[in-house]
Amino acid sequence: MINVLPLVTQYTTLIPQNEHLPPISLTLKDHTRLNILTPTDIDELNNQHFVIKDNVFIDIIDSKTLITDCLPYFEKDAISGKMGQREEKWQNNNIRGDKIWWINDSTEIPKSLSSLVQMIKKLQIELNESTNLNSQFTQSHLTCYPGNNTGYIRHLDATTKSHSNRKLTCLFYLNQDWKPGDGGELMIYGDNKNIKVRPISNRLLIFQSGCVEHQVLSTLVPRYAFTLWMC
Ligand code: OGA
Ligand code: NI
């Protein structure tokens, strides 16, 4: 029989108890190295464990062009999002319904995406030079939740058992025509309040991978984002 249970009633969370990582405390060593971020952003990463920057790379990245350029590559190489690591990987559309295209240094990518990757790698250098982050490598992918009520239930990107080397999650949203009612907001579960982040174009969201619980709410329309983890 076809499984018709909606996303959240079947599974509510993927987070086992006691698998959170402690928050990273960033020390600002040299504020002159900051460029995209400000000292206040570093404070927010320390205090609320996430920061949102809007209208980022606005002169460099046009989301529509980027998506159009990437679609042929994406359709050829994207896979369904999976949970777990290595041989333990598993997939379940009721947990996450995205298609992902993993990108590493040897992946052939269009120029528009390459500009974005470069900008976010600059962000890694900036954080390494201005703080004690000490990120040695990155992992990245482009994702598409195709609509049709797809999402990703409440989870952590790094736990003591899985992807424990991920320090910061950087998300760059690519949805120029997003409007209220489309869904696909990122729900961030904070200590005191929960925040819904709209996945709008040129919005950069950075959060601590091991302690910020988050969920992609069901989206009715295709929803694109680029994710880079600083490890
Ligand atoms: C993830 C994730 C959030 C988003 O891929 O782990 O939580 O807003 N993505 O796309
Ligand atoms: Ni996540």
Side-chain angles (χ1 to χ4, degrees), residues 12-35:
T12 49
T13 176
L14 262 187
I15 310 166
Q17 281 176 353
N18 306 323
E19 289 191 13
H20 290 68
L21 290 165
I24 299 166
S25 175
L26 293 173
T27 308
L28 191 54
K29 295 185 300 189
D30 184 355
H31 70 91
T32 64
R33 299 285 170 166
L34 290 174
N35 178 31

Side-chain angles (χ1 to χ4, degrees), residues 152 155 157 214:
Y152 190 164
H155 67 280
D157 286 359
H214 57 282

Side-chain angles (χ1 to χ4, degrees), residues 31-44:
H31 70 91
T32 64
R33 299 285 170 166
L34 290 174
N35 178 31
I36 300 162
L37 300 176
T38 64
T40 311
D41 296 330
I42 305 296
D43 285 343
E44 288 194 13

